[in-house]
Amino acid sequence: MKKVIIYLLSAKYRKYWIYGLSPIVIFFILHFTFPINTYVPYSQLIISKEGKVLNVFLSKDEKWRMKTELAEITPELEKAFIEKEDRYFYYHLGINPLAIARAIFNNVTKAKKTSGASTITMQVARLLAPKERTYLNKIVEMFRAVQLEVMFSKKEILALYLNLVPYGGNVEGIKSASLLYFDRLPDKLSLAQITTLAIIPNRPTSLALGKHNERIGKERNKWLNRFKENKAFDDQQIEDAISEPIAAKRLDAPALAPHFANYLHQQIPTIDIVKTTIRADVQSKVEDITYSYSRKLVGFNIHNAAVVVVDNKTRNIIAYLGSPDFADIQHAGQVDNARSYRSPGSALKPLIYGLAFDEGIVTPKSVVNDLPVDFSGYAPENYNRTFNGAVSIEVALANSLNVPAVKMLDQIGVKNMLQALRKAQFQEIIGKDKKLGLSVALGGCGVSLVEMAGLYCAFANQGTFQELKMLDNELLVGTQTTASLISPSAAYMLTEVLTKVERPEMPSDYEHNPHIPKIAWKTGTSYGRRDAWSIGYNAKYTVAVWLGNANGVGSPELVGAGVATPLLFKLFNVIDYNAPLDWFFMPDELRTRLVCTASGDLPSDFCESTTSDYFMPTISHTRRCQHLRYVFVSPDEKMSYCSECLPENGFKKKLYPNHSPEMLAFYESNQMNIIKMPIHNPQCTKFLEGNAPKIVSPIDGREYLTIDEEPIELMLNCNVDNDVKKVFWYINNKFYKAVKPNEKVFFSPESGEVKISCSDDKGRNTDIKIWVK
């Protein structure tokens, strides 16, 4: 063998090697010197998780040119186009010498062009770089065809051809034609439709789909009969295809989830086919239901809505609606309200209570006071401008009371709340720590519907936040962020509270409806009734709903419970109707215990009524109930004693309500009859321990302004213990007036610094300072 090789490489045969290899060497020199540009600007396709085209965007050169993937080229599609255009496609290297010879012979003998010699590969070369048809350009085309054969497989070349063939106007590629004329993807085409699309590229003007269907039918059947003669398909397939009518007409491009598609198109414009998490069936239902529902609200001057639906297990966004009518120019239908930043109203309250559960401050049955309060000038009020006195945490949350929520935020700290929101990727929160305060509890910050959906999805996943997914194949740069917002136990307690249906947030027409979905949900209404929110979840899905106007104009009807929750229920009933009941399991670390009904604390020996409550061992508070206290009183119960003045006999021990000063003030201002302790022994000389009067008006450290130098009147008011019968007011250390507790007194301060003092009849005193300008 070695001798044979040496002999063939000898001088005698060297010239043959040179003659044989020279064309190959020359080709590769030209190939690398003049590389072929195979870049094709495709239309971007946004497709659903199931593979359905949701939306499509024009290519950079304004063409409907949708990329056909190799998997979409069926055997029938491949065979029909090859049979029609290039029967020897798999047997040549881009150029068919026999076809060229035949074409030259026919054209010369008949003195005109009667047949072509272009292979599919040569057509791809021409479609990639269209030029005038000359003999020189034909030679260049053949060179380019060989380049393509060197660079790509036959399947890839066929796919390029199918992506570039013209169908008239700005429609190119078989995928574009099949979607825009037959409303189906290439792998779903029938043989009749495939043949129709195979014959049009040679005559896209005279065989225009939708205009010349009868002429196309005749041409199609002619080629089907040729296929039959060539045994390309079995006879029955051919007969069925011939009998199939042509019902092609130009259709609009798919336009589902337009706001979702636009967002992705802006984020990743260079990806030809974007595979998303959207479920087309759910998306269609959400769009139809929301559009129909929103039409009923137009009379109330409510024109926009947004919905986000999340699969809790995968964190996939399976439906996304930015507005009910994308084409509604008059009401800014193209604004993506799912990503617009707006006030959430009360919708952030569950996170506050969840953090409070984890701090051990309260449990669901813990009782807090819903009373007027002032936090250094910030005085929150309830939605109905009334107060409810002592309420449990679950009642406060279910009824969306404002004061208890602000109190809880004050106790857990605004900093901790903002930290949790940052973990949940609330973008408007980042960098605004110093600007945000207790008003965050009532919507004093900007949030988007997508962010709120992510937060409530975390509640449905044991308090663990993970970034919501929009892409099925995770094309976006970055990893999925995971963070624990609240513990699984806190999330479970929240869910149990938010599942209760006996609450004001229940829509009136659902009170006796047997089809109320079992979900945990919370509403929100922003200041000025500009935004109505309702966000709910069960084990499978989280659905977030927003209603309002894109321009921020409010409406008296824009209340979360009134307009947003009915839509939330409708969506759940459609998306998850009659699904097997799958609910949350109580975490192993969560326990139940008996607590006093009156206080929510561990029962004392005087507690007569108890109820079951959740708690976290070693975390939840272990306070003993003190809603009553034992007091030494005279036999006629008109005088009380302390240990210092207790007589040797002639007294008894009795339980009295242990109201705080602010609760006493609330009861008296509402003229509610309560049992109060008797007055303390006036002969007692001991300085009594207890609470000094708390001045609630005016506010300590506040600056008050006069107008046009006219004097102003300020109210003096305080809260005291229930054994106090009289208080004494002093202005700048001068006695002003003695009055009953909670009796409102007014005075006109002078300009400058003013010292205000209040003493009770036990000798306890409180001082504050204000400034008048």
Side-chain angles (χ1 to χ4, degrees):
M1 179 60 72
K2 185 176 180 181
K3 291 181 179 181
V4 172
I5 294 173
I6 293 173
Y7 179 71
L8 291 174
L9 293 176
S10 64
K12 181 179 179 180
Y13 291 98
R14 192 171 299 159
K15 63 179 180 179
Y16 298 108
W17 283 105
I18 292 172
Y19 294 151
L21 292 176
S22 291
I24 298 175
V25 173
I26 292 171
F27 167 78
F28 278 103
I29 291 174
L30 292 173
H31 174 65
F32 290 112
T33 304
F34 304 101
I36 184 171
N37 181 12
T38 59
Y39 169 72
V40 178
Y42 289 107
S43 300
Q44 187 178 62
L45 288 170
I46 309 295
I47 66 173
S48 71
K49 189 172 181 63
E50 310 91 339
K52 179 178 179 179
V53 177
L54 297 171
N55 216 301
V56 61
F57 297 89
L58 286 168
S59 63
K60 290 181 180 178
D61 53 354
E62 299 295 313
K63 298 288 182 69
W64 292 115
R65 187 189 295 117
M66 308 174 200
K67 186 175 183 180
T68 303
E69 297 183 290
L70 292 176
E72 295 178 292
I73 303 175
T74 62
E76 291 81 7
L77 180 60
E78 178 181 347
K79 189 182 293 185
F81 271 85
I82 290 176
E83 188 72 21
K84 165 73 172 59
E85 292 294 330
D86 187 0
R87 295 181 65 185
Y88 300 101
F89 175 67
Y90 282 106
Y91 303 99
H92 59 66
L93 293 176
I95 305 170
N96 187 342
L98 294 177
I100 293 174
R102 184 187 71 245
I104 293 173
F105 177 79
N106 289 338
N107 294 344
V108 170
T109 56
K110 297 182 180 179
K112 64 178 181 179
K113 183 178 179 179
T114 60
S115 64
S118 293
T119 62
I120 284 178
T121 314
M122 290 170 65
Q123 291 184 61
V124 171
R126 183 170 65 250
L127 291 168
L128 284 171
K131 290 184 177 66
E132 184 183 353
R133 296 199 176 190
T134 64
Y135 288 111
L136 177 61
N137 286 339
K138 180 63 72 172
I139 293 171
V140 173
E141 190 178 292
M142 288 189 282
F143 168 69
R144 296 299 191 193
V146 178
Q147 283 183 297
L148 289 170
E149 293 283 344
V150 170
M151 295 170 63
F152 300 103
S153 68
K154 286 289 187 180
K155 291 280 188 183
E156 291 170 331
I157 292 171
L158 178 61
L160 264 175
Y161 172 74
L162 293 175
N163 284 324
L164 293 169
V165 286
Y167 286 95
N170 66 341
V171 180
E172 291 186 4
I174 191 168
K175 192 170 194 173
S176 303
S178 61
L179 269 174
L180 295 176
Y181 290 105
F182 295 112
D183 193 25
R184 60 183 63 190
L185 293 172
D187 56 353
K188 304 298 181 184
L189 292 170
S190 67
L191 179 58
Q193 293 167 335
I194 290 171
T195 308
T196 299
L197 296 179
I199 64 175
I200 290 175
N202 298 124
R203 298 161 58 189
T205 303
S206 61
L207 295 178
L209 276 168
K211 294 181 179 179
H212 310 128
N213 284 359
E214 186 177 348
R215 189 187 305 167
I216 292 171
K218 293 178 181 178
E219 188 71 14
R220 178 201 70 180
N221 292 344
K222 183 179 76 174
W223 275 99
L224 283 169
N225 285 318
R226 287 188 187 179
F227 292 164
K228 185 176 182 180
E229 292 171 6
N230 296 332
K231 304 295 182 183
F233 301 95
D234 64 60
D235 292 350
Q236 188 58 51
Q237 274 186 291
I238 298 293
E239 293 301 322
D240 291 342
I242 290 174
S243 63
E244 184 177 315
I246 295 181
K249 64 177 181 178
R250 178 60 187 269
L251 306 170
D252 292 331
L256 270 175
H259 300 89
F260 180 86
N262 280 344
Y263 175 78
L264 289 179
H265 184 59
Q266 293 169 4
Q267 297 294 310
I268 43 175
T270 59
I271 305 299
D272 298 326
I273 300 176
V274 181
K275 299 177 180 178
T276 74
T277 58
I278 295 292
R279 281 173 42 188
D281 58 331
V282 178
Q283 179 69 30
S284 295
K285 291 175 183 176
V286 167
E287 290 190 9
D288 292 344
I289 292 170
T290 306
Y291 179 81
S292 176
Y293 182 81
S294 65
R295 292 306 88 196
K296 301 175 184 178
L297 302 178
V298 171
F300 299 114
N301 194 32
I302 302 172
H303 300 281
N304 297 107
V307 177
V308 175
V309 182
V310 181
D311 183 315
N312 290 334
K313 184 176 181 181
T314 62
R315 312 294 179 110
N316 288 344
I317 295 177
I318 62 173
Y320 183 110
L321 181 70
S323 76
D325 186 0
F326 189 78
D328 186 1
I329 304 299
Q330 183 180 356
H331 300 106
Q334 295 185 4
V335 171
D336 187 355
N337 294 290
R339 291 191 176 274
S340 299
Y341 288 98
R342 304 180 187 279
S343 167
S346 298
L348 288 177
K349 287 177 182 175
L351 179 59
I352 295 173
Y353 287 107
L355 294 171
F357 290 156
D358 278 335
E359 289 289 329
I361 299 171
V362 291
T363 54
K365 299 292 185 182
S366 295
V367 172
V368 292
N369 292 335
D370 177 29
L371 300 171
V373 65
D374 190 292
F375 295 94
S376 300
Y378 177 54
E381 291 182 329
N382 290 321
Y383 178 77
N384 58 6
R385 298 184 180 276
T386 62
F387 298 93
N388 300 274
V391 294
S392 67
I393 290 295
E394 62 181 8
V395 169
L397 178 55
N399 288 270
S400 198
L401 301 180
N402 290 340
V403 173
V406 177
K407 283 185 174 181
M408 286 301 104
L409 180 56
D410 184 52
Q411 291 188 57
I412 65 173
V414 175
K415 182 179 179 181
N416 290 332
M417 173 71 169
L418 297 182
Q419 183 179 6
L421 291 175
R422 281 195 297 271
K423 286 182 181 179
Q425 298 189 358
F426 279 65
Q427 296 302 313
E428 284 287 289
I429 304 300
I430 298 174
K432 293 187 176 181
D433 300 46
K434 296 181 180 179
K435 297 180 181 180
L436 298 174
L438 293 175
S439 64
V440 170
L442 309 184
C445 60
V447 304
S448 74
L449 191 68
V450 173
E451 291 171 345
M452 295 300 289
L455 175 63
Y456 278 69
C457 183
F459 296 156
N461 282 278
Q462 297 189 316
T464 300
F465 171 81
Q466 184 175 314
E467 187 179 355
L468 300 183
K469 292 183 281 189
M470 302 176 70
L471 301 173
D472 195 36
N473 49 0
E474 295 309 323
L475 290 174
L476 286 176
V477 179
T479 58
Q480 295 296 313
T481 303
T482 300
S484 177
L485 304 183
I486 56 176
S487 68
S489 295
Y492 183 83
M493 287 188 280
L494 271 184
T495 300
E496 289 297 288
V497 174
L498 294 176
T499 306
K500 297 182 182 298
V501 296
E502 299 87 5
R503 64 204 225 201
E505 293 181 340
M506 173 63 67
S508 58
D509 55 341
Y510 274 86
E511 287 181 358
H512 305 291
N513 194 320
H515 300 299
I516 298 174
K518 185 177 182 182
I519 60 172
W521 90 96
K522 182 72 185 74
T523 65
T525 304
S526 67
Y527 180 77
R529 298 194 180 186
R530 294 181 176 90
D531 310 275
W533 306 74
S534 192
I535 308 142
Y537 61 91
N538 60 16
K540 293 175 66 176
Y541 302 113
T542 294
V543 179
V545 171
W546 170 88
L547 284 139
N549 292 303
N551 59 8
V553 173
S555 168
E557 303 298 325
L558 266 175
V559 179
V563 294
T565 300
L567 178 56
L568 176 75
F569 285 4
K570 286 177 183 290
L571 292 170
F572 260 109
N573 278 335
V574 170
I575 295 170
D576 202 33
Y577 185 64
N578 278 343
L581 184 60
D582 183 15
W583 199 243
F584 304 94
F585 292 100
M586 180 173 159
D588 293 336
E589 61 271 20
L590 188 63
R591 299 283 190 272
T592 59
R593 65 185 180 188
L594 290 178
V595 295
C596 175
T597 306
S599 66
D601 294 336
L602 297 180
S604 295
D605 57 357
F606 49 72
C607 295
E608 297 179 353
S609 176
T610 58
T611 185
S612 179
D613 190 19
Y614 295 109
F615 79 105
M616 292 182 280
T618 73
I619 295 176
S620 298
H621 70 84
T622 55
R623 294 187 298 267
R624 284 287 169 184
C625 178
Q626 294 181 354
H627 84 281
L628 298 177
R629 61 180 286 194
Y630 285 103
V631 179
F632 296 109
V633 296
S634 61
D636 58 4
E637 300 179 7
K638 292 183 178 181
M639 185 181 299
S640 62
Y641 305 102
C642 65
S643 58
E644 287 292 322
C645 63
L646 184 67
E648 293 184 4
N649 50 50
F651 67 90
K652 63 180 180 179
K653 190 177 182 182
K654 184 179 179 179
L655 283 170
Y656 282 89
N658 189 21
H659 297 304
S660 63
E662 58 265 25
M663 277 303 299
L664 281 172
F666 173 75
Y667 289 140
E668 291 189 3
S669 63
N670 286 275
Q671 298 180 346
M672 300 172 66
N673 293 323
I674 57 171
I675 300 174
K676 298 181 68 173
M677 291 184 209
I679 61 171
H680 193 73
N681 179 11
Q683 305 301 320
C684 182
T685 58
K686 180 178 182 290
F687 182 82
L688 296 177
E689 297 179 355
N691 297 311
K694 181 180 180 182
I695 300 175
V696 295
S697 176
I699 307 302
D700 187 20
R702 180 75 64 84
E703 188 176 85
Y704 294 86
L705 303 178
T706 61
I707 301 175
D708 298 330
E709 298 184 357
E710 291 186 5
I712 60 173
E713 280 198 338
L714 297 180
M715 182 177 71
L716 298 173
N717 196 16
C718 66
N719 292 334
V720 297
D721 282 343
N722 64 1
D723 60 345
V724 174
K725 304 304 177 184
K726 186 174 288 189
V727 294
F728 306 89
W729 290 100
Y730 296 83
I731 308 297
N732 289 328
N733 297 321
K734 293 182 179 180
F735 175 73
Y736 180 67
K737 191 173 287 188
V739 295
K740 294 179 180 180
N742 305 311
E743 181 180 339
K744 295 177 177 60
V745 181
F746 293 88
F747 81 108
S748 296
E750 297 179 354
S751 296
E753 182 181 292
V754 180
K755 178 183 177 183
I756 300 172
S757 306
C758 183
S759 300
D760 62 18
D761 52 13
K762 310 302 177 194
R764 297 169 295 205
N765 181 76
T766 299
D767 298 326
I768 67 167
K769 285 184 180 181
I770 63 171
W771 283 263
V772 178
K773 291 186 178 180

